[in-house]
Short mmCIF file of all heavy atoms in Angstrom, two decimals:
data_model
loop_
_atom_site.label_atom_id
_atom_site.label_comp_id
_atom_site.label_asym_id
_atom_site.label_seq_id
_atom_site.Cartn_x
_atom_site.Cartn_y
_atom_site.Cartn_z
N GLU A 42 82.83 18.35 52.00
CA GLU A 42 83.99 18.01 51.19
C GLU A 42 84.99 19.15 51.23
O GLU A 42 85.01 20.02 50.37
CB GLU A 42 83.53 17.71 49.77
CG GLU A 42 82.33 16.77 49.75
CD GLU A 42 82.48 15.59 48.81
OE1 GLU A 42 82.97 15.79 47.69
OE2 GLU A 42 82.09 14.47 49.20
N THR A 44 88.42 19.05 51.19
CA THR A 44 89.81 18.69 50.91
C THR A 44 90.57 19.78 50.16
O THR A 44 91.78 19.69 50.01
CB THR A 44 89.88 17.39 50.07
OG1 THR A 44 89.03 17.53 48.94
CG2 THR A 44 89.43 16.21 50.90
N ASP A 45 89.86 20.79 49.69
CA ASP A 45 90.55 21.90 49.05
C ASP A 45 90.93 22.88 50.15
O ASP A 45 90.12 23.73 50.55
CB ASP A 45 89.65 22.57 48.02
CG ASP A 45 90.37 23.70 47.29
OD1 ASP A 45 91.48 24.05 47.72
OD2 ASP A 45 89.83 24.22 46.31
N ARG A 48 90.60 26.87 49.49
CA ARG A 48 89.33 27.59 49.38
C ARG A 48 88.29 27.31 50.46
O ARG A 48 87.32 28.05 50.57
CB ARG A 48 88.72 27.34 48.00
CG ARG A 48 89.66 27.74 46.87
CD ARG A 48 88.95 27.78 45.54
NE ARG A 48 88.41 26.48 45.16
CZ ARG A 48 87.42 26.32 44.28
NH1 ARG A 48 86.89 27.37 43.71
NH2 ARG A 48 86.99 25.13 44.00
N ARG A 109 98.62 18.89 27.45
CA ARG A 109 97.22 19.18 27.11
C ARG A 109 97.14 20.01 25.85
O ARG A 109 96.30 19.77 24.98
CB ARG A 109 96.54 19.94 28.26
CG ARG A 109 96.47 19.12 29.52
CD ARG A 109 95.31 19.54 30.39
NE ARG A 109 95.21 18.60 31.50
CZ ARG A 109 95.74 18.83 32.70
NH1 ARG A 109 96.37 19.97 32.95
NH2 ARG A 109 95.64 17.93 33.64
N PRO A 119 92.07 17.38 25.91
CA PRO A 119 93.29 17.56 26.71
C PRO A 119 93.40 16.51 27.81
O PRO A 119 92.53 16.42 28.66
CB PRO A 119 93.13 18.98 27.28
CG PRO A 119 91.67 19.26 27.20
CD PRO A 119 91.18 18.52 26.00
N ARG A 174 97.22 14.35 45.80
CA ARG A 174 97.92 15.53 45.31
C ARG A 174 99.31 15.64 45.93
O ARG A 174 99.64 14.93 46.87
CB ARG A 174 97.14 16.78 45.69
CG ARG A 174 95.75 16.80 45.16
CD ARG A 174 95.18 18.18 45.29
NE ARG A 174 94.48 18.38 46.54
CZ ARG A 174 93.19 18.75 46.60
NH1 ARG A 174 92.52 18.96 45.49
NH2 ARG A 174 92.62 18.95 47.75
N SER A 175 100.06 16.56 45.41
CA SER A 175 101.42 16.73 45.94
C SER A 175 101.41 17.20 47.39
O SER A 175 102.38 17.02 48.11
CB SER A 175 102.21 17.69 45.05
OG SER A 175 101.49 18.87 44.82
N GLY A 268 61.90 20.62 38.15
CA GLY A 268 62.57 19.40 37.75
C GLY A 268 61.83 18.15 38.18
O GLY A 268 62.23 17.04 37.84
N ASN A 292 62.92 15.15 36.03
CA ASN A 292 63.10 15.52 34.61
C ASN A 292 64.54 15.45 34.16
O ASN A 292 65.45 15.51 34.96
CB ASN A 292 62.69 16.98 34.41
CG ASN A 292 61.19 17.10 34.34
OD1 ASN A 292 60.69 18.17 34.16
ND2 ASN A 292 60.51 15.99 34.46
N GLN A 293 64.70 15.43 32.84
CA GLN A 293 66.05 15.36 32.31
C GLN A 293 66.58 16.68 31.80
O GLN A 293 67.75 16.80 31.47
CB GLN A 293 66.06 14.36 31.16
CG GLN A 293 65.44 13.04 31.56
CD GLN A 293 65.45 12.04 30.42
OE1 GLN A 293 66.46 11.88 29.77
NE2 GLN A 293 64.33 11.39 30.18
N SER A 294 65.74 17.67 31.68
CA SER A 294 66.24 18.91 31.11
C SER A 294 66.41 20.02 32.14
O SER A 294 65.72 20.07 33.15
CB SER A 294 65.32 19.37 29.99
OG SER A 294 63.99 19.34 30.41
N ARG A 297 64.82 26.92 34.31
CA ARG A 297 65.22 28.29 34.64
C ARG A 297 64.58 28.72 35.95
O ARG A 297 63.47 28.32 36.28
CB ARG A 297 64.76 29.25 33.55
CG ARG A 297 65.31 28.88 32.22
CD ARG A 297 64.98 29.96 31.23
NE ARG A 297 65.34 29.51 29.89
CZ ARG A 297 65.55 30.35 28.88
NH1 ARG A 297 65.42 31.65 29.06
NH2 ARG A 297 65.85 29.89 27.70
N LYS A 312 49.24 33.44 52.97
CA LYS A 312 47.78 33.48 53.07
C LYS A 312 47.19 32.28 53.78
O LYS A 312 46.10 32.36 54.34
CB LYS A 312 47.16 33.54 51.65
CG LYS A 312 47.28 34.89 50.99
CD LYS A 312 46.45 34.97 49.72
CE LYS A 312 46.83 33.91 48.72
NZ LYS A 312 46.14 34.06 47.43
N GLU A 349 47.24 39.41 52.00
CA GLU A 349 46.75 39.31 50.63
C GLU A 349 47.32 40.43 49.76
O GLU A 349 47.01 40.54 48.59
CB GLU A 349 45.22 39.40 50.63
CG GLU A 349 44.60 38.12 51.15
CD GLU A 349 43.09 38.21 51.23
OE1 GLU A 349 42.54 39.29 50.93
OE2 GLU A 349 42.48 37.20 51.60
N ARG A 350 48.13 41.26 50.38
CA ARG A 350 48.64 42.44 49.67
C ARG A 350 50.13 42.46 49.43
O ARG A 350 50.64 43.36 48.78
CB ARG A 350 48.22 43.69 50.43
CG ARG A 350 46.73 43.78 50.55
CD ARG A 350 46.29 44.90 51.45
NE ARG A 350 44.92 45.23 51.13
CZ ARG A 350 43.87 44.49 51.48
NH1 ARG A 350 44.06 43.39 52.19
NH2 ARG A 350 42.64 44.83 51.14
N ARG A 430 41.29 56.91 55.37
CA ARG A 430 42.52 56.18 55.03
C ARG A 430 43.71 57.15 54.98
O ARG A 430 44.78 56.85 55.50
CB ARG A 430 42.32 55.48 53.68
CG ARG A 430 43.55 54.82 53.10
CD ARG A 430 43.17 53.90 51.95
NE ARG A 430 42.68 52.62 52.41
CZ ARG A 430 41.49 52.11 52.16
NH1 ARG A 430 40.64 52.79 51.43
NH2 ARG A 430 41.15 50.94 52.63
N SER A 439 45.95 51.25 51.39
CA SER A 439 46.17 50.49 52.62
C SER A 439 45.19 49.33 52.63
O SER A 439 44.32 49.24 51.78
CB SER A 439 45.96 51.39 53.84
OG SER A 439 44.59 51.48 54.16
P G B 1 84.49 24.08 17.42
OP1 G B 1 83.71 23.48 16.38
OP2 G B 1 83.92 24.52 18.68
"O5'" G B 1 85.70 23.07 17.79
"C5'" G B 1 86.67 22.74 16.78
"C4'" G B 1 87.66 21.79 17.39
"O4'" G B 1 88.35 22.44 18.47
"C3'" G B 1 87.00 20.56 18.04
"O3'" G B 1 86.85 19.54 17.07
"C2'" G B 1 88.03 20.18 19.10
"O2'" G B 1 89.12 19.46 18.55
"C1'" G B 1 88.52 21.55 19.57
N9 G B 1 87.81 22.10 20.71
C8 G B 1 87.01 23.22 20.71
N7 G B 1 86.51 23.49 21.88
C5 G B 1 87.01 22.49 22.71
C6 G B 1 86.81 22.25 24.09
O6 G B 1 86.14 22.92 24.89
N1 G B 1 87.48 21.12 24.54
C2 G B 1 88.24 20.32 23.74
N2 G B 1 88.81 19.27 24.33
N3 G B 1 88.44 20.52 22.43
C4 G B 1 87.80 21.62 22.00
P U B 3 83.91 13.74 19.79
OP1 U B 3 83.89 12.45 19.06
OP2 U B 3 83.07 14.86 19.32
"O5'" U B 3 83.57 13.47 21.31
"C5'" U B 3 84.18 12.38 22.00
"C4'" U B 3 83.75 12.40 23.45
"O4'" U B 3 84.21 13.63 24.06
"C3'" U B 3 82.25 12.42 23.67
"O3'" U B 3 81.70 11.13 23.60
"C2'" U B 3 82.18 12.99 25.08
"O2'" U B 3 82.51 12.02 26.05
"C1'" U B 3 83.28 14.05 25.05
N1 U B 3 82.78 15.39 24.67
C2 U B 3 82.19 16.14 25.67
O2 U B 3 82.06 15.75 26.81
N3 U B 3 81.76 17.39 25.29
C4 U B 3 81.85 17.94 24.02
O4 U B 3 81.42 19.08 23.83
C5 U B 3 82.46 17.08 23.03
C6 U B 3 82.89 15.86 23.39
P C B 5 75.07 10.82 26.04
OP1 C B 5 74.42 9.54 26.37
OP2 C B 5 75.27 11.23 24.63
"O5'" C B 5 74.27 12.01 26.76
"C5'" C B 5 73.96 11.92 28.15
"C4'" C B 5 73.38 13.23 28.63
"O4'" C B 5 74.34 14.30 28.42
"C3'" C B 5 72.15 13.72 27.87
"O3'" C B 5 70.98 13.08 28.32
"C2'" C B 5 72.16 15.20 28.23
"O2'" C B 5 71.70 15.42 29.54
"C1'" C B 5 73.65 15.51 28.17
N1 C B 5 74.06 16.04 26.85
C2 C B 5 73.77 17.39 26.57
O2 C B 5 73.19 18.06 27.43
N3 C B 5 74.13 17.90 25.38
C4 C B 5 74.77 17.14 24.49
N4 C B 5 75.11 17.69 23.32
C5 C B 5 75.06 15.76 24.74
C6 C B 5 74.70 15.26 25.93
P C B 6 69.72 12.94 27.31
OP1 C B 6 68.75 12.06 27.98
OP2 C B 6 70.20 12.64 25.95
"O5'" C B 6 69.14 14.43 27.29
"C5'" C B 6 68.61 15.01 28.48
"C4'" C B 6 68.27 16.46 28.22
"O4'" C B 6 69.46 17.16 27.78
"C3'" C B 6 67.27 16.71 27.11
"O3'" C B 6 65.95 16.57 27.59
"C2'" C B 6 67.58 18.15 26.74
"O2'" C B 6 67.02 19.07 27.65
"C1'" C B 6 69.11 18.18 26.88
N1 C B 6 69.83 17.99 25.62
C2 C B 6 69.90 19.08 24.73
O2 C B 6 69.32 20.14 25.04
N3 C B 6 70.59 18.94 23.57
C4 C B 6 71.19 17.78 23.29
N4 C B 6 71.86 17.69 22.14
C5 C B 6 71.12 16.65 24.17
C6 C B 6 70.44 16.80 25.32
P C B 12 61.55 26.63 31.98
OP1 C B 12 62.93 26.18 32.24
OP2 C B 12 60.88 26.28 30.72
"O5'" C B 12 60.63 26.13 33.19
"C5'" C B 12 61.04 26.33 34.55
"C4'" C B 12 60.02 25.70 35.47
"O4'" C B 12 58.76 26.41 35.35
"C3'" C B 12 59.66 24.27 35.12
"O3'" C B 12 60.63 23.37 35.63
"C2'" C B 12 58.29 24.12 35.78
"O2'" C B 12 58.40 23.94 37.17
"C1'" C B 12 57.68 25.50 35.49
N1 C B 12 56.89 25.50 34.24
C2 C B 12 55.55 25.06 34.31
O2 C B 12 55.10 24.70 35.39
N3 C B 12 54.81 25.06 33.17
C4 C B 12 55.35 25.46 32.02
N4 C B 12 54.59 25.44 30.92
C5 C B 12 56.71 25.90 31.93
C6 C B 12 57.43 25.91 33.06
P U B 13 60.81 21.96 34.87
OP1 U B 13 61.78 21.20 35.65
OP2 U B 13 61.02 22.19 33.43
"O5'" U B 13 59.38 21.30 35.10
"C5'" U B 13 58.81 20.42 34.17
"C4'" U B 13 57.34 20.33 34.45
"O4'" U B 13 56.71 21.58 34.10
"C3'" U B 13 56.59 19.29 33.64
"O3'" U B 13 56.72 18.02 34.26
"C2'" U B 13 55.17 19.82 33.69
"O2'" U B 13 54.56 19.53 34.93
"C1'" U B 13 55.39 21.33 33.60
N1 U B 13 55.32 21.82 32.21
C2 U B 13 54.08 21.81 31.60
O2 U B 13 53.08 21.41 32.18
N3 U B 13 54.05 22.26 30.32
C4 U B 13 55.12 22.72 29.58
O4 U B 13 54.94 23.10 28.43
C5 U B 13 56.37 22.71 30.28
C6 U B 13 56.42 22.27 31.53
P G B 24 43.69 23.83 31.01
OP1 G B 24 42.39 24.41 31.38
OP2 G B 24 44.53 24.46 29.96
"O5'" G B 24 44.57 23.69 32.33
"C5'" G B 24 44.06 22.97 33.45
"C4'" G B 24 45.14 22.82 34.49
"O4'" G B 24 46.25 22.07 33.93
"C3'" G B 24 45.77 24.12 34.96
"O3'" G B 24 44.99 24.76 35.95
"C2'" G B 24 47.08 23.61 35.54
"O2'" G B 24 46.89 23.00 36.80
"C1'" G B 24 47.47 22.54 34.52
N9 G B 24 48.33 23.08 33.46
C8 G B 24 47.99 23.38 32.16
N7 G B 24 48.98 23.86 31.47
C5 G B 24 50.04 23.89 32.36
C6 G B 24 51.39 24.31 32.18
O6 G B 24 51.92 24.77 31.16
N1 G B 24 52.13 24.17 33.33
C2 G B 24 51.66 23.68 34.53
N2 G B 24 52.52 23.63 35.53
N3 G B 24 50.40 23.27 34.71
C4 G B 24 49.66 23.40 33.59
P C B 35 32.37 49.57 47.94
OP1 C B 35 31.67 49.67 49.23
OP2 C B 35 31.70 49.95 46.67
"O5'" C B 35 33.72 50.39 48.03
"C5'" C B 35 33.69 51.82 47.95
"C4'" C B 35 34.99 52.34 48.47
"O4'" C B 35 35.00 52.24 49.92
"C3'" C B 35 36.19 51.52 48.04
"O3'" C B 35 36.64 51.96 46.77
"C2'" C B 35 37.20 51.84 49.14
"O2'" C B 35 37.83 53.08 48.93
"C1'" C B 35 36.29 51.94 50.37
N1 C B 35 36.23 50.70 51.17
C2 C B 35 37.32 50.39 52.02
O2 C B 35 38.29 51.15 52.04
N3 C B 35 37.27 49.29 52.78
C4 C B 35 36.19 48.49 52.72
N4 C B 35 36.18 47.40 53.49
C5 C B 35 35.09 48.77 51.85
C6 C B 35 35.15 49.89 51.11
P U B 36 37.42 51.00 45.83
OP1 U B 36 37.03 51.28 44.44
OP2 U B 36 37.26 49.63 46.38
"O5'" U B 36 38.95 51.43 46.02
"C5'" U B 36 39.38 52.74 45.63
"C4'" U B 36 40.81 52.92 46.06
"O4'" U B 36 40.87 52.88 47.51
"C3'" U B 36 41.74 51.79 45.62
"O3'" U B 36 42.23 52.03 44.31
"C2'" U B 36 42.85 51.88 46.65
"O2'" U B 36 43.74 52.94 46.36
"C1'" U B 36 42.07 52.25 47.91
N1 U B 36 41.73 51.08 48.73
C2 U B 36 42.74 50.55 49.52
O2 U B 36 43.86 51.00 49.53
N3 U B 36 42.37 49.50 50.31
C4 U B 36 41.13 48.91 50.38
O4 U B 36 40.95 47.97 51.14
C5 U B 36 40.13 49.50 49.52
C6 U B 36 40.47 50.54 48.74
P C B 37 42.44 50.78 43.33
OP1 C B 37 42.92 51.33 42.05
OP2 C B 37 41.24 49.92 43.35
"O5'" C B 37 43.64 50.00 44.02
"C5'" C B 37 44.93 50.60 44.14
"C4'" C B 37 45.80 49.71 45.00
"O4'" C B 37 45.29 49.68 46.35
"C3'" C B 37 45.81 48.24 44.57
"O3'" C B 37 46.71 48.03 43.51
"C2'" C B 37 46.27 47.57 45.86
"O2'" C B 37 47.66 47.72 46.06
"C1'" C B 37 45.53 48.41 46.92
N1 C B 37 44.24 47.78 47.29
C2 C B 37 44.22 46.89 48.37
O2 C B 37 45.27 46.66 48.97
N3 C B 37 43.05 46.31 48.72
C4 C B 37 41.93 46.59 48.04
N4 C B 37 40.81 45.99 48.43
C5 C B 37 41.93 47.49 46.93
C6 C B 37 43.09 48.06 46.59
P A B 38 46.56 46.70 42.61
OP1 A B 38 47.57 46.79 41.55
OP2 A B 38 45.15 46.46 42.28
"O5'" A B 38 47.05 45.60 43.64
"C5'" A B 38 46.54 44.29 43.59
"C4'" A B 38 46.68 43.69 44.97
"O4'" A B 38 45.87 44.44 45.91
"C3'" A B 38 46.15 42.27 45.07
"O3'" A B 38 47.17 41.35 44.69
"C2'" A B 38 45.81 42.17 46.54
"O2'" A B 38 46.96 41.98 47.33
"C1'" A B 38 45.24 43.56 46.81
N9 A B 38 43.80 43.64 46.55
C8 A B 38 43.14 44.30 45.53
N7 A B 38 41.84 44.17 45.57
C5 A B 38 41.61 43.37 46.68
C6 A B 38 40.44 42.84 47.25
N6 A B 38 39.21 43.08 46.77
N1 A B 38 40.57 42.07 48.35
C2 A B 38 41.81 41.84 48.83
N3 A B 38 42.98 42.26 48.38
C4 A B 38 42.81 43.03 47.29
P A B 39 46.79 40.11 43.75
OP1 A B 39 48.04 39.37 43.48
OP2 A B 39 45.98 40.62 42.62
"O5'" A B 39 45.84 39.22 44.68
"C5'" A B 39 46.35 38.59 45.84
"C4'" A B 39 45.20 38.08 46.68
"O4'" A B 39 44.39 39.21 47.11
"C3'" A B 39 44.21 37.20 45.93
"O3'" A B 39 44.64 35.84 45.90
"C2'" A B 39 42.95 37.36 46.77
"O2'" A B 39 43.00 36.62 47.95
"C1'" A B 39 43.02 38.85 47.09
N9 A B 39 42.34 39.66 46.07
C8 A B 39 42.92 40.43 45.09
N7 A B 39 42.06 41.04 44.31
C5 A B 39 40.83 40.63 44.80
C6 A B 39 39.51 40.93 44.41
N6 A B 39 39.22 41.73 43.38
N1 A B 39 38.50 40.36 45.10
C2 A B 39 38.81 39.56 46.13
N3 A B 39 40.01 39.21 46.60
C4 A B 39 40.99 39.79 45.89
P G B 40 44.30 34.95 44.65
OP1 G B 40 44.81 33.60 44.91
OP2 G B 40 44.73 35.69 43.44
"O5'" G B 40 42.71 34.91 44.64
"C5'" G B 40 42.00 34.24 45.67
"C4'" G B 40 40.51 34.43 45.48
"O4'" G B 40 40.20 35.85 45.57
"C3'" G B 40 39.98 34.03 44.11
"O3'" G B 40 39.74 32.64 44.03
"C2'" G B 40 38.69 34.83 44.04
"O2'" G B 40 37.66 34.24 44.80
"C1'" G B 40 39.13 36.15 44.68
N9 G B 40 39.59 37.13 43.69
C8 G B 40 40.89 37.51 43.45
N7 G B 40 40.99 38.41 42.50
C5 G B 40 39.69 38.61 42.07
C6 G B 40 39.16 39.47 41.07
O6 G B 40 39.77 40.23 40.31
N1 G B 40 37.78 39.36 40.96
C2 G B 40 37.00 38.55 41.73
N2 G B 40 35.69 38.58 41.48
N3 G B 40 37.46 37.76 42.68
C4 G B 40 38.81 37.84 42.80
P G B 71 80.81 22.63 34.33
OP1 G B 71 81.00 22.80 35.79
OP2 G B 71 81.00 23.76 33.40
"O5'" G B 71 81.74 21.44 33.82
"C5'" G B 71 81.78 20.22 34.55
"C4'" G B 71 82.47 19.18 33.71
"O4'" G B 71 81.81 19.07 32.43
"C3'" G B 71 83.91 19.46 33.32
"O3'" G B 71 84.80 19.13 34.37
"C2'" G B 71 84.09 18.51 32.14
"O2'" G B 71 84.25 17.18 32.56
"C1'" G B 71 82.74 18.65 31.45
N9 G B 71 82.78 19.63 30.36
C8 G B 71 82.32 20.92 30.36
N7 G B 71 82.52 21.53 29.21
C5 G B 71 83.15 20.58 28.43
C6 G B 71 83.62 20.65 27.08
O6 G B 71 83.56 21.60 26.30
N1 G B 71 84.21 19.46 26.68
C2 G B 71 84.33 18.35 27.46
N2 G B 71 84.94 17.29 26.90
N3 G B 71 83.90 18.26 28.71
C4 G B 71 83.32 19.40 29.12
P C B 72 86.26 19.80 34.39
OP1 C B 72 86.91 19.29 35.61
OP2 C B 72 86.12 21.26 34.17
"O5'" C B 72 86.99 19.18 33.11
"C5'" C B 72 87.55 17.87 33.18
"C4'" C B 72 88.09 17.51 31.84
"O4'" C B 72 87.10 17.78 30.82
"C3'" C B 72 89.29 18.33 31.38
"O3'" C B 72 90.49 17.80 31.94
"C2'" C B 72 89.26 18.11 29.88
"O2'" C B 72 89.80 16.87 29.51
"C1'" C B 72 87.75 18.12 29.61
N1 C B 72 87.28 19.43 29.15
C2 C B 72 87.46 19.76 27.81
O2 C B 72 88.00 18.95 27.06
N3 C B 72 87.03 20.97 27.37
C4 C B 72 86.45 21.82 28.22
N4 C B 72 86.05 23.00 27.74
C5 C B 72 86.27 21.51 29.60
C6 C B 72 86.69 20.31 30.02
P G B 73 91.60 18.73 32.42
OP1 G B 73 91.13 20.07 32.78
OP2 G B 73 92.76 18.55 31.53
"O5'" G B 73 91.93 17.77 33.66
"C5'" G B 73 91.59 18.03 34.91
"C4'" G B 73 92.77 18.59 35.69
"O4'" G B 73 92.69 20.02 35.64
"C3'" G B 73 92.62 18.12 37.13
"O3'" G B 73 93.70 17.33 37.61
"C2'" G B 73 92.22 19.40 37.91
"O2'" G B 73 92.92 19.53 39.06
"C1'" G B 73 92.45 20.55 36.91
N9 G B 73 91.26 21.42 36.86
C8 G B 73 90.19 21.33 36.02
N7 G B 73 89.28 22.25 36.23
C5 G B 73 89.79 22.99 37.28
C6 G B 73 89.25 24.13 37.96
O6 G B 73 88.18 24.70 37.74
N1 G B 73 90.10 24.56 38.96
C2 G B 73 91.31 23.99 39.29
N2 G B 73 91.97 24.55 40.27
N3 G B 73 91.82 22.93 38.67
C4 G B 73 91.01 22.50 37.69
P C B 74 95.17 17.85 37.40
OP1 C B 74 95.31 19.11 36.71
OP2 C B 74 96.18 16.83 37.12
"O5'" C B 74 95.13 18.12 38.96
"C5'" C B 74 94.78 17.07 39.83
"C4'" C B 74 95.11 17.58 41.22
"O4'" C B 74 96.49 17.28 41.47
"C3'" C B 74 94.92 19.11 41.23
"O3'" C B 74 93.84 19.43 42.06
"C2'" C B 74 96.35 19.68 41.58
"O2'" C B 74 96.35 20.56 42.66
"C1'" C B 74 97.14 18.42 41.97
N1 C B 74 98.50 18.43 41.47
C2 C B 74 99.52 18.51 42.41
O2 C B 74 99.23 18.57 43.61
N3 C B 74 100.81 18.50 42.00
C4 C B 74 101.08 18.43 40.70
N4 C B 74 102.36 18.42 40.36
C5 C B 74 100.06 18.38 39.73
C6 C B 74 98.79 18.38 40.14
P C B 75 93.74 20.28 43.33
OP1 C B 75 95.00 20.85 43.76
OP2 C B 75 93.04 19.27 44.12
"O5'" C B 75 92.76 21.53 43.13
"C5'" C B 75 91.70 21.47 42.22
"C4'" C B 75 90.50 22.03 42.92
"O4'" C B 75 89.75 22.80 41.98
"C3'" C B 75 89.53 20.99 43.44
"O3'" C B 75 89.93 20.56 44.73
"C2'" C B 75 88.23 21.78 43.47
"O2'" C B 75 88.17 22.59 44.60
"C1'" C B 75 88.37 22.66 42.23
N1 C B 75 87.73 22.08 41.04
C2 C B 75 86.50 22.64 40.63
O2 C B 75 86.04 23.59 41.29
N3 C B 75 85.87 22.15 39.54
C4 C B 75 86.41 21.13 38.87
N4 C B 75 85.76 20.68 37.81
C5 C B 75 87.65 20.53 39.26
C6 C B 75 88.28 21.03 40.35
P A B 76 89.25 19.26 45.39
OP1 A B 76 89.88 19.07 46.70
OP2 A B 76 89.12 18.13 44.45
"O5'" A B 76 87.81 19.92 45.53
"C5'" A B 76 86.91 19.64 46.57
"C4'" A B 76 85.54 20.10 46.11
"O4'" A B 76 85.61 20.71 44.80
"C3'" A B 76 84.56 18.95 45.94
"O3'" A B 76 83.93 18.63 47.16
"C2'" A B 76 83.59 19.50 44.92
"O2'" A B 76 82.67 20.36 45.48
"C1'" A B 76 84.53 20.29 43.99
N9 A B 76 85.03 19.46 42.88
C8 A B 76 86.15 18.69 42.86
N7 A B 76 86.34 18.06 41.72
C5 A B 76 85.26 18.44 40.95
C6 A B 76 84.87 18.12 39.63
N6 A B 76 85.56 17.30 38.83
N1 A B 76 83.73 18.67 39.16
C2 A B 76 83.03 19.47 39.96
N3 A B 76 83.30 19.86 41.22
C4 A B 76 84.44 19.30 41.65
#
Side-chain angles (χ1 to χ4, degrees):
Chain A
E42 313 229 318
T44 51
D45 182 351
R48 303 193 299 159
R109 296 207 173 96
R174 302 194 269 237
S175 50
N292 281 181
Q293 309 180 47
S294 48
R297 302 187 188 201
K312 285 190 302 186
E349 287 177 357
R350 301 172 159 75
R430 173 167 280 120
S439 83

